Amino acid sequence: MIVAGVDIGSLTVKAVILRDNEVVATSTLITGDDAATAAKTAINEALKSLAERGMSVTLDSLDHIVATGVGRKEVTFAHEEKTDVRCDAVGARHIFPSVRTVVDIGAESCKVIRLSKKGRVEDFTANDKCASGTGMFLDVLAKVIGVGVEKLGELSLKAKKPAKISSMCTVFAESEVISYIHRKVPIENIIAGVHESIANRIFGMMNRVGVEKDIALVGGVARNVGVVKALEAKVGESILVPEGPQLIGALGAALIAAEACGTA
Amino acid sequence: MMLERVREVLDGREAVARSWKEQGKKVVGWICPYVPEELIHAAGMLPFRVMGAPVTIVKGDAYLYPNICTFNRVVLELALGGRYDFLDGIVTANVCDHIRRLYDAWHFFVETPFKLILSLPHKVSENAVAFFRDELSRLKSDLEKLAGVEISDAALKNSIRTYNRARELLRRIYGLRREEEAPISGAEALEVVKAGMFLPKEEYVALLEEIFESLKRRDERYEGSARVMIAGSDLDDPGFVKLIEDSGGLVVADDLCTGSRYFWEDVDVSGDPLEALARRYLSPVLCARMHPYEAHIEHLIKMAEDFNVDGIIFEALKFCDIYGGEYPLLREWLKEKGLDIPVLMLDREYVLSGVEQLKTRIQAFIESLS
């Protein structure tokens, strides 16, 4: 029984292939302008790595495909589409069965999901019309600061005194960052300030939904250790981060696909 | 199809008003259902609900603060652009600060011949009823002057009967939605209610009778993976309801001033008609603006239980004080009473926007219900 979950985000598309409930291949690609093609390419990419290991499977022979993410409705070849809220919940619970609160920070979205003891979605909230507290916010500000977005985490850990970013708005925050640069504030302090501002925004959303332990952080931004630390400091609890946090939505989709085939 | 006339009205609501005017009769616009349409009807004029349309706000932003809800800014945009020039009068009530500011701007910058804002008490008490009756009597004499007729008690009672008949029919149509598989979708129901806010009432009553009969015989049935109720701010866009129904939910009830609240309660026909109107329209059912606020929440929950809903989608226009404020009270109420009715809160703009984000949130909510 081989199934796939594919998560079409605003920036990247992720695919996870499961065989008998074991993850056998994954892939991550840039979404580009055609969600359906991107989803197909991502799955094929993952299948290619399977073929290299002697398991020959084609897209058509997959038993079940579930699509999720913002572009999920475009993936016409998928058997089902499920929201990212549901898939995040299923994916995170699979890795951390004790999780009750899932925070997902993606490229253009951030959401907080509260789960019941049994893993049912009890409440959730998501950003609507604003990029603050998302990966795009980090991306814009990393460009201004002049460091690669992947270096932000490590750099911020060296900060002695985080600079305060008071604007919620990405555009205004950008001008605040520029003024700090002009005032020769050490960049690690600025970066730590940016992380704090994300943590503040997310913490506000968490309070809205209500926080239950354990807490997991998923989505691409979870790879930034600075954001994780800043959020832990805000919440006053440790936060679980899975390996490959950007794949959790796709993993959840794949698990739902497996369940549909009756193997879970 | 039975909804043909309804759609025709909604597609060209101004055409309804214009053909009325061609008969030499007047049209009076009303904003917010606290304005007793019966008085306008009894004076031989056409009551016409002032609504927005999908336009970009330019002029509206020049006259109103950005923290006035988009319903009011869109309406002002239309009024300043001449879209409501056919109105002979405009009547509203000081329901919320946002509508008051709309009225201010309308008063100073739009040349409608007759303009009035009713002073509406916040509490329902005998003093408040007496006060509001005075307000209505002022409205009555102003309307008499505008129409050049006198409104007799008999004529007013006659109008009240016509309106009550429409209300009864709408309640019967809503009753069909209690069934497991409803013969009418939520989007269609909203269309049916909305059409009544523009059509001459006699024509509307006849139309409702026809619709009710054909719904009873309708083969087409609607079902969803969850029964949903919508509550909150002014929502007159069937497209928004369709968004929920396309996501797998079936909207079976509402607590909206463009829906059930508009017709849920009758006006008493015995006794002094002005007092009866004052009593009916000073109602906590019409809007959450009334105090004590519990009365409206109780009504909302009774509606949810009556129609056996699985969850409530509560929408508030951005900056709406009344419904932004009612939401946490509702949550608190549900928690205190130990009622397990999940609620999804959505921030909305008057003109449908951010559809993709909305879809994800609605779909995720419906998934969690089923």
Short mmCIF file of all heavy atoms in Angstrom, two decimals, chain B residues 99 161 294 369:
data_model
loop_
_atom_site.label_atom_id
_atom_site.label_comp_id
_atom_site.label_asym_id
_atom_site.label_seq_id
_atom_site.Cartn_x
_atom_site.Cartn_y
_atom_site.Cartn_z
N ILE B 99 -23.22 53.88 11.85
CA ILE B 99 -24.39 54.32 11.08
C ILE B 99 -24.65 55.81 11.35
O ILE B 99 -25.05 56.55 10.44
CB ILE B 99 -25.62 53.44 11.42
CG1 ILE B 99 -25.45 52.09 10.69
CG2 ILE B 99 -26.91 54.12 11.00
CD1 ILE B 99 -26.69 51.23 10.66
N ARG B 161 -50.67 44.16 8.97
CA ARG B 161 -51.16 42.81 8.62
C ARG B 161 -50.40 42.25 7.40
O ARG B 161 -50.00 41.09 7.39
CB ARG B 161 -52.66 42.84 8.34
CG ARG B 161 -53.46 42.78 9.61
CD ARG B 161 -54.94 42.52 9.37
NE ARG B 161 -55.67 43.01 10.53
CZ ARG B 161 -56.26 44.19 10.59
NH1 ARG B 161 -56.28 45.00 9.53
NH2 ARG B 161 -56.86 44.59 11.71
N GLU B 294 -28.02 39.83 27.21
CA GLU B 294 -28.30 38.39 27.31
C GLU B 294 -29.49 37.98 26.45
O GLU B 294 -29.53 36.87 25.92
CB GLU B 294 -28.57 37.98 28.76
CG GLU B 294 -27.33 37.98 29.64
CD GLU B 294 -27.08 39.33 30.29
OE1 GLU B 294 -27.67 40.35 29.84
OE2 GLU B 294 -26.28 39.38 31.24
N LEU B 369 -16.25 19.67 12.48
CA LEU B 369 -17.62 19.40 12.94
C LEU B 369 -18.07 17.99 12.55
O LEU B 369 -18.90 17.39 13.23
CB LEU B 369 -18.61 20.40 12.34
CG LEU B 369 -18.47 21.87 12.73
CD1 LEU B 369 -19.52 22.69 12.00
CD2 LEU B 369 -18.59 22.05 14.23
#
